[in-house]
Amino acid sequence: MSRDALGFRRKFGVLGPSTNTIVQPDFDAMRPYGVTNHYSRIFTPNSAAVSNESSVAGTRLIGDNVMAAVDSVMTSQPDYLVMGMSAVTFFDGKKGADLFQKQVEDRSGVGISIGSHSCTAALQAYGGVKRIAFMSPYWPAINEQVRRYFTDMGYEVVRDHCMQARSWIGIAEITTAQCREVLRMIDGDDVDAIIQVGTNLSMVKLAAAAELWLGKPVIAINTATYWHALRHNGITQQMEGFGRLLEEF
């Protein structure tokens, strides 16, 4: 069978909000030779002064617009899809995550890695994790959905923190220093692993570094999702600079 000249190992269709400026460079940085990423933007108005109510409504709007982005990217005939937006994959717990994945796979006819289940797979790869803390750029109402999902998956959520970004684009403007302070805030001897959700939050490099000085798994959702897509497609090569997940598992 003929193969794409550049994506001869795999062509990934990446679905992300149109306001998201972090996922595309993050995934490209983790892209092995022979794998190509083809970004399809989910139309997302840049809601300003995001609140509990508007963040939930905005997230559901993104979810409603996913299928149009799926239809668009499928014209490039990708082998697999990678979800570059996390909040919608946590809504309604495990049941909601399973339903979202099934709807996209039924529509596209190919598999997809979604943020919620990819984080669970990452936790299982590390092993021995029972108690977690997580951080997000979201507002409390969305953090409740993330907490519900991880509880459904059998983890005890010890602590969480929402950074309450004031717009969707504003998430990408959160600094490494701010993220580092939150990591310190939610860490503790009662936490086995820390997870960062929110794909427009730049945490891939910080999470990798934090594993060294915290001595425990620190999982950035963009790393977990792209790792899951690679491994699910039989691409097992290891990569330095993105934490233990890509280096060891």
Side-chain angles (χ1 to χ4, degrees):
M1 182 178 69
S2 298
R3 297 295 299 171
D4 189 274
L6 297 181
F8 51 85
R9 296 173 77 185
R10 284 294 186 273
K11 291 191 297 186
F12 286 162
V14 179
L15 308 169
S18 55
T19 51
N20 190 311
T21 57
I22 299 299
V23 163
Q24 189 169 0
D26 271 2
F27 284 2
D28 281 347
M30 293 182 277
R31 180 181 65 83
Y33 178 68
V35 176
T36 51
N37 301 322
H38 308 282
Y39 204 85
S40 185
R41 294 188 174 274
I42 305 163
F43 177 71
T44 308
N46 182 39
S47 301
V50 175
S51 63
N52 263 326
E53 294 75 17
S54 64
S55 63
V56 171
T59 300
R60 293 202 181 277
L61 175 62
I62 296 171
D64 291 341
N65 291 337
V66 164
M67 293 308 172
V70 171
D71 292 343
S72 178
V73 81
M74 288 309 298
T75 62
S76 68
Q77 297 185 349
D79 301 295
Y80 194 76
L81 298 178
V82 190
M83 187 63 184
M85 191 270 183
S86 65
V88 71
T89 73
F90 289 102
F91 270 40
D92 302 321
K94 180 183 184 299
K95 179 179 71 175
D98 288 343
L99 177 61
F100 177 82
Q101 181 172 339
K102 183 178 187 302
Q103 288 174 333
V104 174
E105 291 182 341
D106 287 350
R107 180 73 165 239
S108 66
V110 299
I112 185 171
S113 290
I114 64 173
S116 54
H117 285 342
S118 295
C119 285
T120 295
L123 290 170
Q124 293 170 344
Y126 279 97
V129 175
K130 297 180 180 178
R131 299 166 299 175
I132 65 172
F134 73 87
M135 59 182 288
S136 83
Y138 304 140
W139 287 68
I142 296 183
N143 266 32
E144 289 175 13
Q145 297 290 333
V146 178
R147 177 183 287 267
R148 174 182 173 183
Y149 169 82
F150 283 117
T151 300
D152 283 355
M153 301 307 293
Y155 296 99
E156 177 186 350
V157 179
V158 177
R159 275 182 295 282
D160 69 279
H161 181 80
C162 44
M163 301 179 80
Q164 299 187 15
R166 294 289 175 174
S167 70
W168 296 127
I169 287 177
I171 294 172
E173 297 168 354
I174 295 173
T175 67
T176 296
Q178 289 173 294
C179 293
R180 186 171 59 242
E181 288 306 310
V182 175
L183 283 176
R184 291 178 172 142
M185 185 189 311
I186 64 176
D187 184 36
D189 293 339
D190 54 347
V191 171
D192 300 321
I194 296 174
I195 300 170
Q196 169 261 318
V197 302
T199 61
N200 205 25
L201 187 62
S202 181
M203 277 277 294
V204 164
K205 294 293 187 181
L206 177 60
E211 287 192 323
L212 300 177
W213 47 267
L214 293 180
K216 64 185 63 175
V218 181
I219 299 169
I221 194 163
N222 287 349
T223 305
T225 308
Y226 203 74
W227 163 84
H228 185 270
L230 291 173
R231 300 301 183 256
H232 192 79
N233 282 272
I235 300 170
T236 59
Q237 69 191 74
Q238 297 167 326
M239 189 180 304
E240 293 184 352
F242 297 96
R244 290 181 57 203
L245 197 59
L246 277 169
E247 290 177 3
E248 299 180 19
F249 306 111

